[in-house]
Amino acid sequence: MLAFLRAAGLARPGETPAATALTGGVSSDIWKVELDGGPVCVKRALPRLRVAQLWEAPVERNRYEWRWMQVAARIAPGSAPRVLAHDEAGVFAMEFLDGARHPLWKNELRAGRADARFAARVGETLARIHAATAGDAAIADAFATDAGFRAIRLEPYLLATAQRHPDLAARLGALAERTAATRAALVHGDVSPKNILVGKDGPIFLDAECAWYGDPAFDLAFCLNHLLLKCLWVPAATPKFLACFDALAAAYLAVHASADVEARAATLLPGLLLARVDGKSPVEYLIEEAQKARVREVARALLLAPRDSLDAVRSAWQES
């Protein structure tokens, strides 16, 4: 790490900075490094993720995260950390953003501070990135990461869940194949509240390791899925979470509603719901069997009788 920082010109030849390992990630080693010029964040992708089940992924995803942050910052300035240096060994450095001034959206939601206006900014910013890269052949070539996306997203979420629910295997497999075959825009791949900072000028997206030129509906469904699950984590804030769901979806679709993206998101979302209790990466805060059973009940019903609008999915969840 120190050799990388020196080669990049971020650390002086004689400088030996202190480094602190940061927590919270399962797919990478992340450090805060105290350079003489100020702190930076250094990230290195792991070949095997820190989860209970075996989950391996190519480390070159680090390169695509670096590229995604550059593209996002051009389209929506401030929407990603400023990147500083990268090497082909799978390490890159970016600006360090202080959590005191850039709170994590997940922590805000955990405290019941669910601001629909901020959720709308998330949806609008995400849609701008999708719309600006739609049909861009150069971006498609730069993010031709089909194999990595299958290994990091489709297999551990949809296909692993299909093994737990044989009667839904055909449906989940079809969702995975449709998603894999849809190449329409630059996808972040992990738009979760744990990967979004609340900046003073809007959302700042982190952890774009799953970046892929594919189906923008995946990003939309992935984030909305978390807002539904938070209702079981903090039940008292359910009305606020559902208001955030509505605001994010509406803001997104006001900017980028082409090619049936809403219908694809609405039909994919139940598969992602089920994956967060029965896939390789279950959410850590749903620990009671009654909570998991509620998710399975709603997700299975929506997979067996798909809805083509996000409002219909949200209503089915609310009614449950």
Side-chain angles (χ1 to χ4, degrees), residues 173-260:
L175 287 171
E177 294 311 311
R178 185 191 71 187
T179 302
T182 304
R183 297 178 177 86
L186 179 57
V187 173
H188 177 284
D190 198 3
V191 184
S192 162
K194 73 178 177 62
N195 292 331
I196 300 174
L197 300 178
V198 181
K200 63 182 182 64
D201 296 318
I204 303 170
F205 295 91
L206 310 175
D207 291 345
E209 292 183 356
C210 306
W212 167 61
Y213 197 84
D215 189 356
F218 185 90
D219 277 349
L220 179 58
F222 199 88
C223 193
L224 292 175
N225 182 39
H226 280 278
L227 292 174
L228 296 185
L229 292 171
K230 296 296 182 288
C231 297
L232 297 177
W233 195 26
V234 191
T238 291
K240 294 181 181 180
F241 295 148
L242 296 179
C244 285
F245 182 107
D246 293 339
L248 194 156
Y252 180 97
L253 295 172
V255 175
H256 187 65
S258 61
D260 299 322

Side-chain angles (χ1 to χ4, degrees), residues 95-105 196-200 204:
E95 67 175 321
F96 177 80
L97 297 172
D98 184 4
R101 290 182 293 132
H102 306 88
L104 198 63
W105 194 25
I196 300 174
L197 300 178
V198 181
K200 63 182 182 64
I204 303 170

Side-chain angles (χ1 to χ4, degrees), residues 53 55 149-181 212 215 217-218 221-222 225 264-282 299 303:
Q53 299 187 49
W55 184 354
F149 192 82
R150 177 174 286 272
I152 304 171
R153 282 293 171 263
L154 299 181
E155 194 282 325
Y157 283 80
L158 299 176
L159 300 180
T161 303
Q163 296 178 8
R164 295 281 302 274
H165 297 268
D167 61 320
L168 297 173
R171 178 62 183 157
L172 291 166
L175 287 171
E177 294 311 311
R178 185 191 71 187
T179 302
W212 167 61
D215 189 356
F218 185 90
F222 199 88
N225 182 39
R264 293 199 310 277
T267 49
L268 177 62
L269 204 159
L272 296 177
L273 266 175
L274 192 57
R276 297 322 298 261
V277 295
D278 288 332
K280 286 189 177 182
S281 182
L303 284 166

Side-chain angles (χ1 to χ4, degrees), residues 4 31 43 95 115-116 126 150 153 162-163 170 191 195 201 203 205 208 233 262 275 277 294 298 314 316-317 319:
F4 159 71
W31 299 276
K43 186 171 184 180
E95 67 175 321
D115 185 349
L126 188 62
R150 177 174 286 272
R153 282 293 171 263
Q163 296 178 8
V191 184
N195 292 331
D201 296 318
F205 295 91
W233 195 26
E262 180 179 10
V277 295
R294 176 64 57 85
V298 178
R314 193 262 293 138
W317 176 265
E319 290 167 5

